[in-house]
């Protein structure tokens, strides 16, 4: 179920914001594209590459408006929301192209507007359309999106769900200090700022440990505990779920009452404004997913990613926007689930990556009624950091990828210096994605217990590569940033709005 804003004031403000957006759109048509994904999925890289390829005539053969020559001019313009930080495209693309380093990941919300002048493919539309579309790209952390389900949960429900997860699988060891402290203090203990701070610190340490690369767990609300920004140290972030809460209301002046009050403040002052001011105004959405990382980490990480994506999709309001109702409310009518880092695999495995990702979201998509034309899954690489080759090994020809691993990356005991190219056989994904999921579906408890030592597939050889080297001339770049299927993503998300 989508989050319910019970306040009439909230609903009224959403309607007013949408009305203002639509009124402005009559003069300057626009589409708000949300870009999100859990950490390390490549949100910043996706936006930078999309904009760079549009501005610099990149190879976009599947993006029909550009391929057909109907787009005559593309430019960056000031964003419409002055209170939202600008996405620093110039800094990010300089890091990719000049320094060959990956830009900093998304830590807060930001926005960028890129405007296309085009000629409609329909002669009738050319008589009435201004032939101009502004794309307002809204970049926000996926961890914030995972907070939206909290709007439908009271403190007891939030605590029960969080503690239940914390006591299973690899989380059990990671949560021991936090749960031990919470049990020792007790929910009925007197409210105390020092105790609240210690609880919040140990709970945050547990969330951070779950997120580490060697675990790669995904379902980790509240999201601002991992990305506090200017809220760090505030009472709204100084709380913790509590285990084994007794029935009834929290005693006045108790630690539990203090935690409940701060949890509700977090929803009121952090989660609701994000929903109302940003998420409820989106038209299209892309969710970037690092499925390869989860597959490589084993069954538990994969199951956790499936749950996180289910929570993400449950937040969307799917459906078709009619001309009249869109002035008051908005529905996200197209969602793209993109499995990133396809350049870490040989192209022969790209369809397997897509099938695994489709399986990850299939159940959630059916529950919200978004399976079909409104939802698409694809494997892509926003920036292609490798090329493909073949090598002979023990009389067999193996498909490999060739690139420059980042300094410090290791394979089979070899540590790379960040300068030397190398050929890597990444391994094979299974043809049937069910092989990755059947252990969890049939025996979830035993599958979770075994996941750390018995991965469902042979371990894949993934390393992080530096961005590719692009030649430059006095006039600027010779080539735009290379990619895999970025044009296909553009066509699905934006092609109909440029028809």
């Amino acid at each position: 179920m989508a989050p319910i804003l019970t306040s009439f004031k909230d609903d009224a403000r959403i309607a007013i914001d949408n009305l203002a957006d639509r009124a402005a759109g009559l003069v300057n048509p626009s589409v708000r594209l949300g870009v999100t994904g859990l950490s390390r999925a490549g949100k910043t890289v996706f936006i930078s590459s999309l904009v760079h390829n549009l501005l610099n005539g990149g190879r976009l053969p599947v993006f029909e408006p550009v391929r057909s020559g109907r787009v005559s001019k593309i430019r960056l313009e000031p964003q419409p929301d002055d209170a939202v930080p600008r996405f620093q495209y110039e800094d990010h693309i300089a890091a990719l192209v000049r320094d060959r380093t990956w830009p900093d990941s998304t830590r807060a919300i930001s926005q960028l507007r890129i405007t296309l002048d085009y000629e409609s493919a329909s002669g009738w539309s050319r008589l009435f359309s201004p032939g101009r579309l502004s794309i307002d790209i809204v970049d926000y952390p996926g961890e914030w999106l995972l907070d939206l389900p909290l709007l439908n949960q009271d403190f007891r429900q939030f605590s029960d769900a969080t503690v239940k997860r914390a006591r299973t699988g690899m989380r059990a060891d990671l949560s021991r200090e936090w749960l031990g402290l919470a049990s020792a203090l007790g929910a009925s203990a007197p409210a105390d700022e020092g105790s609240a701070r210690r609880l919040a610190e140990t709970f945050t340490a547990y969330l951070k440990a779950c997120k580490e690369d060697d675990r790669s767990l995904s379902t980790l609300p509240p999201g601002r505990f991992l990305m506090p920004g200017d809220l760090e140290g505030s009472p709204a972030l100084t709380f913790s779920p509590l285990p084994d809460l007794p029935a009834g209301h929290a005693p006045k002046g108790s630690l539990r009452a203090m935690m409940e009050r701060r949890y509700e403040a977090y929803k009121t002052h952090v989660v609701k404004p994000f929903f109302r001011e940003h998420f409820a105004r989106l038209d299209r959405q892309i969710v970037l997913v690092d499925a390869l990382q989860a597959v490589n980490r084993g069954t538990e990480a994969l199951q956790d990613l499936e749950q996180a994506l289910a929570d993400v999709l449950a937040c969307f309001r799917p459906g078709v926007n009619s001309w009249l109702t869109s002035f008051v409310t908005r529905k996200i009518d197209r969602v793209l689930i993109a499995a990133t880092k396809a350049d870490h695999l040989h192209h022969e495995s790209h369809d397997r990556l897509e099938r695994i990702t489709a399986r990850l979201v299939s159940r959630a998509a059916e529950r919200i009624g978004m399976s079909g034309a409104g939802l698409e899954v694809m494997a892509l690489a926003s920036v292609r950091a490798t090329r493909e080759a073949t090598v002979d090994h023990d009389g067999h020809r193996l498909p490999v990828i060739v690139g420059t691993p980042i300094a410090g990356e290791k394979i089979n005991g070899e540590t790379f210096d960040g300068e030397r190219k190398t050929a890597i056989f990444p391994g094979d994904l299974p043809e049937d994605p069910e092989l990755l999921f059947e252990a969890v579906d049939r025996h979830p408890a035993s599958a979770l217990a075994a996941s750390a030592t018995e991965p469902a597939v042979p371990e894949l050889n993934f390393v992080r590569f530096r961005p590719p080297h692009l030649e430059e001339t006095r006039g600027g770049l010779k080539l735009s940033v290379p990619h895999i299927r970025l044009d296909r993503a553009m066509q699905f998300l934006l092609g109909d709005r440029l028809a």
Side-chain angles (χ1 to χ4, degrees):
M1 181 181 295
I4 299 172
L5 295 180
T6 55
S7 166
F8 175 79
K9 180 180 178 181
D10 287 327
D11 293 333
R13 289 184 63 177
I14 291 172
I16 292 171
D17 288 340
N18 282 327
L19 186 61
D21 289 342
R22 295 310 189 194
L26 294 176
V27 178
N28 185 9
S30 65
V31 57
R32 291 177 68 87
L33 171 63
V35 179
T36 196
L38 301 177
S39 60
R40 299 180 298 272
K43 299 175 290 293
T44 302
V45 176
F46 173 84
I47 297 172
S48 300
S49 180
L50 182 150
V51 173
H52 187 266
N53 274 277
L54 285 174
L55 292 176
N56 294 278
R59 292 187 66 255
L60 304 170
V62 179
F63 191 35
E64 189 278 331
V66 169
R67 184 196 68 224
S68 64
R70 293 192 293 106
V71 175
S72 58
K73 186 177 181 181
I74 304 175
R75 61 197 177 278
L76 292 175
E77 290 191 326
Q79 64 197 62
D81 299 317
D82 292 333
V84 179
R86 182 180 184 272
F87 180 85
Q88 296 300 326
Y89 162 74
E90 295 81 5
D91 295 341
H92 298 320
I93 205 66
L96 281 168
V97 173
R98 184 189 63 207
D99 304 329
R100 294 185 64 199
T101 60
W102 299 108
D104 293 336
S105 60
T106 299
R107 305 295 298 178
I109 197 162
S110 63
Q111 190 180 93
L112 188 71
R113 167 170 280 195
I114 184 168
T115 297
L116 287 72
D117 292 340
Y118 70 100
E119 183 180 75
S120 174
S122 166
W124 178 257
S125 296
R126 285 197 293 270
L127 295 176
F128 299 97
S129 172
R132 178 177 300 165
L133 179 70
S134 293
I135 304 166
D136 293 321
I137 302 173
V138 182
D139 175 33
Y140 63 95
E143 286 78 4
W144 294 13
L145 191 57
L146 287 173
D147 277 352
L148 294 187
L150 300 182
L151 294 177
N152 286 335
Q153 298 176 18
D154 60 22
F155 181 72
R156 175 187 293 278
Q157 292 169 321
F158 163 65
S159 291
D160 289 348
T162 304
V163 171
K164 182 179 179 180
R165 281 195 301 268
R167 287 172 170 167
T168 61
M170 70 175 75
R171 291 176 184 255
D173 286 336
L174 304 177
S175 64
R176 185 170 287 113
E177 181 182 358
W178 158 55
L179 289 178
L181 177 62
S183 297
L185 289 172
S188 59
D192 175 73
E193 188 62 39
S195 298
R197 187 170 62 252
R198 291 197 305 276
L199 270 174
E201 289 172 350
T202 55
F203 177 57
T204 302
Y206 153 69
L207 295 178
K208 289 180 177 178
C210 291
K211 186 182 176 183
E212 289 294 325
D213 283 348
D214 58 345
R215 303 178 184 98
S216 299
L217 298 178
S218 305
T219 309
L220 302 170
R224 300 296 178 95
F225 277 57
L226 296 172
M227 297 181 177
D230 58 1
L231 293 173
E232 187 166 11
S234 68
L237 264 64
T238 311
F239 69 91
S240 162
L242 297 173
D244 308 317
L245 291 175
H249 296 291
K252 186 176 181 180
S254 67
L255 182 65
R256 174 183 172 185
M258 184 187 207
M259 297 294 99
E260 285 187 356
R261 185 175 65 254
R262 293 184 175 185
Y263 170 73
E264 292 300 328
Y266 181 83
K267 293 197 298 181
T268 300
H269 300 296
V270 178
V271 184
K272 276 191 177 184
F274 166 68
F275 179 86
R276 182 181 62 238
E277 297 167 12
H278 304 291
F279 185 77
R281 297 170 62 197
L282 297 177
D283 300 302
R284 304 282 167 90
Q285 177 71 57
I286 179 170
V287 180
L288 302 167
V289 180
D290 189 357
L292 291 178
Q293 179 86 333
V295 169
N296 204 35
R297 291 295 176 261
T299 305
E300 187 170 354
L302 197 65
Q303 184 197 43
D304 202 67
L305 177 58
E306 183 180 23
Q307 181 60 54
L309 290 173
D311 292 343
V312 165
L313 287 180
C315 297
F316 295 138
R317 294 177 169 180
V320 178
N321 288 301
S322 70
W323 182 85
L324 183 60
T325 59
S326 66
F327 276 87
V328 179
T329 187
R330 271 182 171 144
K331 293 181 179 180
I332 297 177
D333 53 4
R334 293 198 179 188
V335 175
L336 175 62
I337 308 294
T340 58
K341 304 178 184 177
D343 58 330
H344 287 44
L345 295 170
H346 195 273
H347 75 272
E348 295 174 353
S349 291
H350 288 181
D351 60 338
R352 299 183 183 187
L353 179 57
E354 287 186 358
R355 288 197 294 270
I356 291 169
T357 308
R359 170 62 177 79
L360 279 168
V361 300
S362 59
R363 296 176 183 177
E366 290 174 2
R367 281 199 296 270
I368 66 171
M370 203 165 191
S371 54
L375 178 71
E376 184 161 331
V377 177
M378 69 178 66
L380 60 76
S382 305
V383 174
R384 183 171 192 164
T386 66
R387 61 177 178 84
E388 296 183 353
T390 57
V391 298
D392 293 323
H393 180 74
D394 294 336
H396 300 282
R397 294 187 66 81
L398 293 179
V400 298
I401 54 175
V402 180
T404 305
I406 292 175
E409 290 290 293
K410 298 179 180 179
I411 291 184
N412 298 328
E414 180 181 2
T415 302
F416 296 96
D417 61 5
E419 299 295 332
R420 180 171 60 87
K421 287 187 177 181
T422 189
I424 296 172
F425 174 62
D428 292 319
L429 293 173
E431 287 192 33
D432 183 4
E434 290 302 324
L435 295 176
L436 297 173
F437 295 90
E438 61 184 8
V440 172
D441 290 340
R442 294 176 184 175
H443 305 287
S446 61
L448 291 178
S451 63
T453 57
E454 301 177 16
V457 295
E459 185 172 345
L460 304 174
N461 292 315
F462 294 144
V463 299
R464 296 175 299 165
F465 293 94
R466 292 186 65 187
H469 174 72
L470 298 181
E471 295 182 6
E472 294 187 33
T473 65
R474 291 183 180 179
L477 295 177
K478 278 187 177 180
L479 300 173
S480 58
V481 175
H483 62 85
I484 298 175
R485 298 187 190 90
L486 184 64
D487 51 338
R488 181 178 155 195
M490 291 185 192
Q491 180 63 26
F492 174 74
L493 292 167
L494 305 168
D496 64 315
R497 297 297 299 267
L498 294 162

